[in-house]
Amino acid sequence: MDDGLGLVSRLSELVNEISELPECGNVCNKMPGNLVRRIILLRPMFEELKDVNEELSEEAAEGFELLRIALESAMEHMRTVNDGSKVYQSLHRDSIAAEFHQITEQVEEALSKIPYKKLDLSEEVQEQVLLNSVYQRCRCSVYDNLGLVSQLLELVKTISGLAECRNVCKRMHGNLVRRIKLLSPMFEELKDGSEELVEEAAIGFDLLRTALDSALKHLRTVNEGSKVYQALYQDNIAAEFHQITEQIGTALSKIPYNKLDLSEEVLEQIELVHAQFRRATARPDSPDVQLEHDLAIAQRERDPDPAILKRLSEKLQLKTIEDLKKESIAFHELVISSEGDPDDWFGKISSLFRKLKDFVQVENPEDAVAPKADKEFLKHRSPVIPDDFRCPISLELMKDPVIVSTGQTYERSCIQKWLDAGHKTCPKTQQTLLHTALTPNYVLKSLISLWCESNGVELPPKHQAAFKNRKLGSSTVSDCDQTTIAALLEKLANGNPEQQRAAAGELRLLAKRNADNRVCIAEAGAIPLLVELLSFPDARTQEHAVTALLNLSINDANKGMIVNAGAIPDIVDVLKNGSMEARENAAATLFSLSVVDENKVAIGAAGAIPALINLLCEGSPRGKKDAATAIFNLSIYQGNKARAVRAGIVPPLMRLLKDAGCGMVDEALAILAVLASHQEGKVAIGLADPIPALMEVIRTGSPRNRENAAAVMWSLCTGGDLQQLRVAKELAAEEALKELAESGTDRAKRKAGSLLELLQRVDPAA
């Protein structure tokens, strides 16, 4: 092994030699280019170590020796690619890509062995290399654009293979699928060709991939979602179809077809498809007037005409007991997964579904196609179940009713699933739960038993009796789940890309389902495999992997396992470069992990905060909230406050604070209150003309927002900043602060009192 200083010099030379390699001019040009660009980022570390002239520890020397071997392999492979046969490389592109991937992993492993904290490195250089961020990102980028056409073809095939839609969205669903199918010949021809995409085409195809990802997600949601919800909110669903159609049309217009190697027939077909998308954008589907009329009557009247319920039953394809079961599950999932306030639609859907359910059960008391077990159950179902006996989430007769802290009663398994999903509110009232303890409602349970007995209804057995449990490690799960999880992990570890994607999606759902599954999945060894998939080039696989980790992180023990698997840099990379859904779920995952204090340091050092700020500015409403909660939690650590301010957090927070309609005022104020306690934060907020917006909140905001606004204002005005005090005085702040000092929260009263004292010292004539 070289001596320590000589080893650093050799590594510095290797980085310089690799950076000076001529640009690759063949089919593999992207791969060496990406690898070279990232190796160059290691240069500052070696330059600093050379200047320090300090002996390396044995541990550091071993890590650097591994890195020397990896970089020499990289240089040798890149020289081979540069000088080798272009024909051979064109024919064996996949194996060459695999070798680049192997070298990347080799460099990663070496970097992970280096004890950066024991090296005399500046803070900037430590942050750059501490968490292997350079090479964690590289694994994804090696394959940039290589599989773009294949991904698009696979997306089209997946969309084409979707089951036929059987609800009110049938026409919109069918039209979109039919148009997307017509894109298949273009991707088939391009896949068979060997030409690299020009940059303009790659950009257009990337836009199209994003649009088709959105289309696939929406089509699946429509197929699998609640039919009653889609009927009541068909305008929203139609608007999303229209938006996706417009998005695909825009992407198609960005593709330079004349620069692609396409036959005349395919070009003609693409022109036809593009014209269809343009027409569809200009002329949306007309609404179903009869359906709207029937829905309005069914909602308004307590006992609607059976003829209307029959038409709705047929239109919504809710005609059998099996249809009702599927709809009940879909509605249940809709409530559990709702990110916002379900109060707007919860009552409407519950009421309409109950009416349809009672109608179908009365019409089909002896459903001929129902399984025997269902027939035994259904023959006792003629009596209409009282609303108080139904779970507000599942709308089914409760068998184990429990009371939450708001006083509402739910079926135990349903409310437990809601809580396991991370919700902190009561589904029915949207009040914040003071605690998550569930109290058995013995009185209601007795009433339900009496009602069942008097109406000849057999109370269904408790859910847990249907499964035979056994121990796996420290958790109790069903045999079925253990077998399923083991099979899914085998696919994750050894399956082809399609199998890996499907397995990650299944694990995502299993981890969301209940607490036992989260423990079992983690103990079975899924976390390292899911972390590997975060750098997978397929966007959908990446989404599944990061969301599965999000669901697993709900369990506190799993948080440590996720961090120990080296997930943070990869999650940050998904936050920076993934699809919008993946970015949003990456933000939520970082928030979940940041509950542990030491993780706040690691997440901030991995470069998460600038990416979270980008999501806060450009994400969906849910994405913005995920980004804001993560930024707030990370900013509790003092070092991250400076990072957030330097990354430009204050201007977007001020925009959100001034836009009451965006629904982000609470989050913006909470973050500003944390940042204002830091000197750099205080200066940055002071430069953003904050006093008018803060005074508006103090006058009209909620108690918590008024408290935070007063806290921010107090931080700005203490320390002798007369300018902020004069602005406040000009805005007649005394009156609002006096009112806050009398009626605000305890903290708000203290801040208001202090501000009033400061304002009294200001000379109005100054």
Side-chain angles (χ1 to χ4, degrees), residues 108-125:
E108 275 177 35
E109 186 180 357
L111 287 172
S112 70
K113 305 290 186 186
I114 298 168
Y116 302 105
K117 293 182 180 179
K118 296 180 182 177
L119 300 176
D120 190 5
L121 295 171
S122 66
E123 186 179 345
E124 291 80 5
V125 171

Side-chain angles (χ1 to χ4, degrees), residues 383-557:
V384 176
I385 302 170
D387 287 350
D388 290 341
F389 294 174
R390 297 179 191 259
C391 171
I393 295 175
S394 68
L395 304 179
E396 299 285 353
L397 181 67
M398 287 186 279
K399 49 189 175 287
D400 189 11
V402 292
I403 305 169
V404 297
S405 64
T406 59
Q408 297 294 324
T409 297
Y410 298 92
E411 172 61 36
R412 182 186 293 276
S413 62
C414 295
I415 191 62
Q416 189 62 58
K417 189 172 181 182
W418 169 269
L419 296 172
D420 287 345
H423 294 284
K424 306 294 183 187
T425 56
C426 172
K428 192 170 182 180
T429 67
Q430 283 304 292
Q431 292 174 270
T432 301
L433 295 171
L434 300 177
H435 55 78
T436 57
L438 303 177
T439 307
N441 191 335
Y442 294 116
V443 174
L444 183 60
K445 191 170 186 178
S446 296
L447 290 172
I448 291 172
S449 297
L450 287 171
W451 180 85
C452 290
E453 188 177 341
S454 62
N455 286 276
V457 174
E458 183 181 348
L459 190 64
K462 285 189 177 181
H463 180 70
Q464 58 263 36
F467 295 96
K468 183 181 178 181
N469 289 340
R470 67 177 175 91
K471 289 278 185 178
L472 177 65
S474 62
S475 61
T476 303
V477 292
S478 71
D479 290 336
C480 174
D481 281 349
Q482 289 178 35
T483 306
T484 301
I485 290 166
L488 291 173
L489 294 198
E490 175 61 23
K491 288 179 183 176
L492 276 192
N494 302 311
N496 60 38
E498 289 78 13
Q499 290 172 326
Q500 288 177 310
R501 185 192 312 110
E506 288 291 325
L507 286 171
R508 166 185 180 172
L509 295 175
L510 281 173
K512 181 179 178 180
R513 193 163 295 160
N514 59 53
D516 285 343
N517 280 355
R518 286 191 275 278
V519 174
C520 180
I521 290 168
E523 289 182 350
I527 287 173
L529 298 172
L530 289 167
V531 171
E532 286 292 319
L533 291 183
L534 291 175
S535 48
F536 205 78
D538 176 67
R540 191 65 180 164
T541 304
Q542 204 176 67
E543 286 170 15
H544 287 328
V546 76
T547 311
L549 289 170
L550 167 61
N551 295 335
L552 290 170
S553 72
I554 295 169
N555 178 288
D556 286 340

Side-chain angles (χ1 to χ4, degrees), residues 152-172:
L152 285 162
L153 179 58
E154 186 182 344
L155 270 171
V156 171
K157 286 181 176 177
T158 304
I159 290 170
S160 303
L162 290 175
E164 183 184 358
C165 182
R166 296 176 61 242
N167 56 35
V168 294
C169 301
K170 180 176 181 178
R171 185 176 173 187
M172 293 180 285

Side-chain angles (χ1 to χ4, degrees), residues 614-653:
N614 287 339
L615 184 60
L616 182 68
C617 295
E618 63 193 35
S620 67
R622 192 196 83 174
K624 288 179 178 180
K625 285 190 181 291
D626 287 337
T629 51
I631 292 168
F632 173 80
N633 226 31
L634 291 171
S635 296
I636 294 169
Y637 169 62
Q638 194 73 2
N640 287 336
K641 292 176 185 175
R643 286 192 175 99
V645 173
R646 292 168 194 167
I649 184 66
V650 172
L653 288 178

Side-chain angles (χ1 to χ4, degrees), residues 197-214:
L197 295 177
V198 296
E199 185 177 357
E200 188 183 353
I203 292 169
F205 280 137
D206 199 46
L207 287 172
L208 184 58
R209 175 175 58 183
T210 302
L212 292 182
D213 272 331
S214 299

